[in-house]
């Protein structure tokens, strides 16, 4: 579809309600809000933070790092089971919609807030736009996969990050006229933030850790998926592998609260050698960007890091059996290694031997995705 920024077209008068709930949403929404404001004519927007990401200090820091304005509405939902959290977001979002009467609700990604707000809007006959539509792991055991599939089914406008996403949507009966390929808005944030990324030595020093670990080659680790960290056997196996990797390559482990809690619950703290593995709390966006940009490799089960390492040209080993971002494997730097120790060690060995994937940056991962979304959104709302 051709997207135009028609300066003479009618201005959108009712606001677009832009929803964020958890950390990955912030990176996607920051450039979209800037693009809506910069569009000619400007597209009015209201930022709704559901409060699904309930670490207040980290949430505030991410807003600052990304240049996000303070939310116009904070629903302050907090934690809970998937059902509790989704239901609470719906209960609190509906009155906000009734008050502000938006032209549409724009949701990003695949967290509980995404499907919750999309459902409320759809039932009230308010158009829904979904950014990052059509990604599929085809693993229904992942709660995010359920959120992705259902949100796409009720969305009126679907913005995709890669062309293969349209095939996924077509197989699910979604008409092509509802789909618009705009590229990856996560990369907009990455490109805008690169000059401000925090040096890795500063990130370690800020927590009293040996900055010498990142003075040469090092790896970055993140683990948070329940399938990897909620089982004592699986988590112990992964920590054993990390200990083996750390003999050859020092590691910086940005540890998710869930992972830290389970390591303590299972009594596995002694498996992390502080001389070779620097354990950090969850990092701000600029800190994490600096750590990844300087890394020899990244070991992760995060979807977002698969994309960011591809954009940075850093080899990534994903500790999962599947990915909803196949383009990072087909064109980027990502290799799926699962959780079998030998496969992980083999992947690390190949990278350290200089045979890691460098890949290429996919189409429309160019830092201008938000502009394309804003131009199309204006045209679509006007129509």
């Amino acid at each position: 579809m051709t997207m135009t920024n028609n300066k003479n077209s009618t201005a959108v008068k009712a606001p677009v309600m832009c929803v964020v709930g958890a950390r990955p949403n912030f990176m996607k929404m920051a450039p979209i809000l800037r693009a809506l404001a910069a569009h000619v004519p400007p597209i009015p927007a209201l930022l709704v933070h559901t409060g699904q990401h309930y670490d207040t200090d980290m949430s505030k820091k991410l807003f600052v790092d990304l240049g996000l304005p303070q939310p116009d509405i904070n629903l302050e939902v907090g934690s809970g089971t998937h059902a509790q959290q989704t239901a609470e977001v719906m209960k609190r979002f509906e009155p906000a919609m009734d008050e502000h009467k938006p032209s549409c609700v724009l949701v990003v990604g695949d967290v509980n807030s995404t499907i919750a707000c999309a459902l409320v809007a759809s039932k009230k006959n308010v158009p829904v736009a979904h950014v990052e539509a059509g990604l599929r792991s085809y693993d229904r055991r992942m709660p995010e996969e359920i959120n992705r599939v259902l949100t796409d089914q009720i969305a009126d406008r679907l913005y995709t990050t890669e062309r293969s996403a349209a095939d996924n949507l077509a197989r699910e009966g979604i008409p092509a006229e509802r789909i618009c390929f705009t590229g990856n808005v996560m990369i907009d944030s990455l490109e805008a933030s690169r000059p401000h990324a925090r040096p890795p030595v500063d990130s370690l020093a800020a927590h009293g850790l040996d900055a010498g670990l990142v003075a040469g080659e090092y790896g970055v680790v993140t683990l948070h998926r329940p399938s990897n960290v909620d089982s004592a056997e699986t988590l112990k196996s992964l920590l054993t592998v990390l200990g083996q990797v750390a003999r050859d390559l020092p590691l910086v482990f940005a540890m998710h609260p869930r992972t830290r809690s389970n390591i303590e619950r299972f009594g596995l703290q002694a498996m992390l050698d502080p001389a070779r593995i620097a354990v950090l709390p969850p990092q701000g966006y600029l800190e994490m960007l600096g750590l990844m940009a300087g890394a020899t490799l990244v070991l992760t089960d995060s979807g977002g890091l698969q994309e960011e390492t591809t954009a940075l040209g850093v080899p990534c080993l994903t500790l999962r059996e599947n990915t909803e971002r196949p383009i990072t494997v087909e064109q980027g730097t990502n290799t799926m290694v699962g959780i079998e120790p030998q496969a992980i060690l083999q992947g690390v060995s190949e990278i350290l031997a200089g045979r890691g994937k460098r890949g290429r940056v996919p189409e429309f991962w160019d830092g201008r995705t938000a502009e394309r979304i804003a131009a199309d959104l204006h045209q679509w709302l006007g129509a």
Side-chain angles (χ1 to χ4, degrees):
M1 156 167 201
T2 302
M3 291 165 288
T4 60
N5 188 345
N6 188 345
K7 297 182 180 182
N8 296 318
S9 56
T10 305
V12 177
K13 293 184 172 59
V16 175
M17 290 189 85
C18 299
V19 177
V20 295
R23 178 185 176 118
N25 298 164
F26 302 159
M27 289 83 132
K28 296 161 192 169
M29 195 61 76
I32 292 173
L33 288 172
R34 287 193 290 270
L36 295 180
H39 188 271
V40 181
I43 301 172
L46 284 173
L47 179 60
V48 180
H49 185 359
T50 66
Q52 180 181 328
H53 184 123
Y54 49 88
D55 183 331
T56 305
D57 291 340
M58 180 56 67
S59 184
K60 286 179 180 175
K61 186 172 188 336
L62 285 168
F63 270 70
V64 172
D65 286 353
L66 294 162
L68 264 172
Q70 285 304 301
D72 299 288
I73 302 165
N74 193 328
L75 303 181
E76 299 180 340
V77 167
S79 62
T81 67
H82 286 283
Q84 290 168 341
Q85 201 172 58
T86 304
E88 197 61 39
V89 171
M90 293 179 72
K91 282 169 59 180
R92 299 189 187 196
F93 184 61
E94 185 174 34
M97 276 195 61
D98 290 340
E99 178 182 354
H100 294 284
K101 298 178 173 51
S103 57
C104 81
V105 170
L106 186 145
V107 294
V108 296
D110 52 23
V111 301
N112 289 337
S113 297
T114 301
I115 179 61
C117 293
L119 274 170
V120 173
S122 180
K123 286 174 177 288
K124 296 179 78 67
N125 295 315
V126 173
V128 175
H130 184 206
V131 174
E132 204 181 71
L135 296 182
R136 297 290 183 270
S137 68
Y138 291 100
D139 182 355
R140 292 292 180 97
R141 295 169 299 176
M142 296 175 64
E144 297 91 344
E145 182 79 353
I146 304 300
N147 292 343
R148 285 189 284 265
V149 171
L150 295 180
T151 301
D152 286 340
Q153 282 296 322
I154 58 179
D156 302 278
R157 197 67 176 149
L158 297 95
Y159 295 112
T160 58
T161 62
E162 54 191 81
R163 290 194 182 275
S164 65
D167 298 329
N168 296 336
L169 295 170
R171 281 191 290 272
E172 294 168 8
I174 295 172
E177 57 267 23
R178 283 164 53 189
I179 303 167
C180 185
F181 172 50
T182 49
N184 193 337
V185 76
M186 280 270 282
I187 309 307
D188 291 25
S189 279
L190 185 145
E191 293 297 340
S193 301
R194 268 199 203 197
H196 312 292
R198 189 168 189 184
V201 292
D202 292 353
S203 296
L204 266 64
H207 297 279
L209 298 173
D210 179 10
L213 281 176
V214 293
E217 293 190 338
Y218 66 93
V220 170
V221 180
T222 76
L223 291 173
H224 75 282
R225 294 204 175 270
S227 58
N228 281 342
V229 304
D230 284 2
S231 157
E233 182 181 358
T234 301
L235 184 54
K236 183 177 181 180
S237 174
L238 289 173
L239 293 181
T240 300
V241 174
L242 293 180
Q244 293 174 290
V245 172
R247 294 173 194 165
D248 299 317
L249 183 72
L251 298 175
V252 179
F253 194 161
M255 193 174 286
H256 191 279
R258 182 189 198 107
T259 309
R260 184 183 295 274
S261 173
N262 283 337
I263 287 174
E264 293 172 357
R265 181 160 65 99
F266 302 141
L268 304 176
Q269 299 95 317
M271 299 187 70
L272 297 166
D273 178 4
R276 300 297 292 173
I277 302 177
V279 176
L280 293 173
Q283 294 295 285
Y285 183 69
L286 298 180
E287 286 82 1
M288 200 65 197
L289 181 55
L291 284 167
M292 285 192 297
T296 301
L297 58 84
V298 172
L299 293 149
T300 189
D301 56 11
S302 161
L305 264 63
Q306 295 172 43
E307 296 177 325
E308 290 168 330
T309 48
T310 281
L312 293 167
V314 174
C316 176
L317 299 177
T318 296
L319 309 183
R320 286 166 47 186
E321 300 299 332
N322 51 56
T323 179
E324 65 282 0
R325 294 164 168 86
I327 198 168
T328 64
V329 176
E330 296 159 5
Q331 298 183 24
T333 61
N334 186 24
T335 301
M336 307 297 297
V337 292
I339 60 172
E340 289 302 316
Q342 198 52 47
I344 298 169
L345 293 172
Q346 179 65 30
V348 171
S349 177
E350 290 183 2
I351 292 170
L352 295 183
R355 297 193 296 273
K357 293 168 70 174
R358 289 291 166 182
R360 65 181 179 86
V361 177
E363 182 184 10
F364 278 4
W365 291 29
D366 56 3
R368 300 190 62 185
T369 293
E371 296 175 28
R372 289 187 283 269
I373 290 172
D376 179 79
L377 193 66
H378 181 265
Q379 187 179 38
W380 175 64
L381 289 174

